[in-house]
Amino acid sequence: MKNRSIYRCLYPISFLYGVGVRLRNYLYNKEILKSKSYPIPIICIGNLSVGGSGKTPMVEYLIRHLGSKYRIAVVSRGYKRRSKGLVIALPNDTASQIGDEPRQILYNFPKVMMVLDGNRRRAIEYLLSLPKEEQPEIILLDDGFQHRRVLPSLSILLTDWNKPYIKDKLLPVGRLRESLEGALRADCIILTRCPEEIPPIEYRIMERNLSLYPHQSLLFSRTVSGDLTPLFPKEAVAANNGNVKQRVIAIAGIAQPEYFFADLKKRFNVIKTLHYPDHHHFSERELASFSTLLSDHPSSLLVLTQKDAVRIIDYKEKLPQQLKSRLYYIPIETVLSEEDSTKLEKIVEKTIRQVNQNSSLHL
């Protein structure tokens, strides 16, 4: 009863929050507050809700598919980083310095340009001030959907198949950062974490429920988990590749760990799961407790998400050999069907051509 009473008390706060967000969006929509466009293709990847909806894997998907053709820069605020202001992030920077998500992207794509700044305009203008041969040809604006001060060339809105924004409520009652009308700004809506096989009728139901406008494209993606990967390959003990399932202790400091834990339980003998808050920086006491767990379960491995792994890797010099030898992570990738991948490629290429044509007309 107490929890239900507290929940009801949140509705007035949610209403006032919604009024503030709608007013802000109204001022931008009416151009009383100004959004700024730039003479370079800017692809915004974002969502309406707080918490994980697959933004970082989608940024990595775009880097993977566009990086061979274009110079790409990623602009991110670097959530929970200790550094301040504009920072040019480098592959050897720690997760505490630049944030775990930029650290993960640079771990997987060390050659990509990464600029961190809460002021996205300043970050973009820095990139455009570089010598022509160093300037990016595409900017990926990570988690920038609510950053209305920048007008992107293409807005990609992500929403979880299992928890789409149409079934959510505004903060603090639900997880929505803004009302459902915000989705109208999206050029492309991608449902993430879709099941591998979706009956055609479920496609049509989702399309109908989302009530898309003619200018909006709807695509479906799923998450594919990779193999057990040692965090410290030189020190690692071999994983069990026999008929007996590998025993693992699963640790996740992410927004929605249930997907990670469920995937591990299908593949391994999970003897324990530990969940920490999203973006959690592990203390030395917690790291010591991991060593104790492994001592109590000598044939087990400690398995992390990659986002957790890039935070723990910064403690390498302080970790005991036993812990380093049994720390593993599971990489993940966003995957689109061949048809949807082609659709997205055409949308992106069309956007790039339009921006470049408009830029050449104004020279």
Side-chain angles (χ1 to χ4, degrees), residues 12-45:
I13 303 172
S14 183
F15 173 77
L16 292 173
Y17 173 79
V19 169
V21 171
R22 285 187 179 93
L23 175 60
R24 177 177 180 269
N25 281 333
Y26 173 83
L27 294 174
Y28 273 108
N29 294 341
K30 294 298 180 180
E31 299 186 357
I32 298 168
L33 295 177
K34 302 292 184 181
S35 300
K36 188 172 181 179
S37 60
Y38 292 90
I40 183 172
I42 297 175
I43 302 174
C44 170
I45 302 97

Side-chain angles (χ1 to χ4, degrees), residues 198-246:
I198 304 175
I201 190 168
E202 290 200 36
Y203 275 109
R204 292 194 291 273
I205 290 171
M206 188 63 78
E207 286 176 331
R208 184 191 64 203
N209 290 344
L210 289 171
S211 302
L212 301 187
Y213 277 64
H215 73 281
Q216 296 180 307
S217 300
L218 180 62
L219 305 177
F220 298 80
S221 71
R222 59 188 179 91
T223 300
V224 175
S225 300
D227 296 328
L228 271 176
T229 305
L231 188 55
F232 303 106
K234 291 181 181 178
E235 293 95 340
V237 297
N240 177 13
N241 293 315
N243 294 325
V244 179
K245 279 189 175 182
Q246 173 68 57

Side-chain angles (χ1 to χ4, degrees), residues 47-49 145-146 157 165 175-180 182-183:
N47 57 10
L48 292 186
S49 61
F145 198 75
Q146 284 73 38
L157 181 66
Y165 59 77
R175 298 169 59 247
L176 291 182
R177 300 171 173 181
E178 58 176 306
S179 62
L180 301 183

Side-chain angles (χ1 to χ4, degrees), residues 299-332:
S299 62
S300 299
L301 302 178
L302 203 65
V303 181
L304 313 157
T305 70
Q306 190 174 20
K307 197 164 89 166
D308 294 307
V310 297
R311 292 195 299 272
I312 285 185
I313 201 170
D314 297 335
Y315 295 96
K316 180 177 180 180
E317 302 307 319
K318 297 181 178 180
L319 298 178
Q321 177 64 29
Q322 180 220 25
L323 181 55
K324 284 194 284 190
S325 69
R326 292 157 69 186
L327 276 172
Y328 278 71
Y329 69 91
I330 300 286
I332 61 169

Side-chain angles (χ1 to χ4, degrees), residues 73-255:
V74 177
V75 169
S76 171
R77 64 174 170 158
Y79 184 63
K80 284 202 171 181
R81 64 187 171 105
R82 292 178 182 170
S83 55
K84 303 296 182 182
L86 188 150
V87 171
I88 293 80
L90 301 171
N92 59 348
D93 289 334
T94 66
S96 62
Q97 289 173 319
I98 64 174
D100 51 15
E101 287 158 346
R103 177 73 172 93
Q104 177 181 319
I105 292 169
L106 286 172
Y107 186 88
N108 293 328
F109 301 94
K111 294 183 179 179
V112 76
M113 285 185 277
M114 172 78 70
V115 179
L116 309 179
D117 201 339
N119 184 339
R120 268 64 157 210
R121 280 190 185 179
R122 183 167 59 188
I124 293 167
E125 285 156 11
Y126 164 77
L127 288 166
L128 294 178
S129 73
L130 295 173
K132 194 69 178 175
E133 65 275 10
E134 296 178 24
Q135 286 181 21
E137 295 168 299
I138 299 175
I139 293 175
L140 303 180
L141 196 61
D142 181 24
D143 196 13
F145 198 75
Q146 284 73 38
H147 195 83
R148 299 293 304 272
R149 295 184 70 224
V150 172
L151 184 63
S153 320
L154 176 68
S155 285
I156 297 175
L157 181 66
L158 307 180
T159 189
D160 193 319
W161 168 271
N162 301 290
K163 300 176 183 177
Y165 59 77
I166 52 174
K167 296 183 179 179
D168 210 342
K169 297 182 184 298
L170 281 170
L171 290 166
V173 174
R175 298 169 59 247
L176 291 182
R177 300 171 173 181
E178 58 176 306
S179 62
L180 301 183
E181 290 83 0
L184 298 177
R185 301 197 306 276
D187 302 294
C188 180
I189 295 174
I190 301 181
L191 282 150
T192 61
R193 300 194 180 103
C194 296
E196 191 167 355
E197 298 293 335
I198 304 175
I201 190 168
E202 290 200 36
Y203 275 109
R204 292 194 291 273
I205 290 171
M206 188 63 78
E207 286 176 331
R208 184 191 64 203
N209 290 344
L210 289 171
S211 302
L212 301 187
Y213 277 64
H215 73 281
Q216 296 180 307
S217 300
L218 180 62
L219 305 177
F220 298 80
S221 71
R222 59 188 179 91
T223 300
V224 175
S225 300
D227 296 328
L228 271 176
T229 305
L231 188 55
F232 303 106
K234 291 181 181 178
E235 293 95 340
V237 297
N240 177 13
N241 293 315
N243 294 325
V244 179
K245 279 189 175 182
Q246 173 68 57
R247 289 162 56 89
V248 305
I249 299 165
I251 295 179
I254 56 175

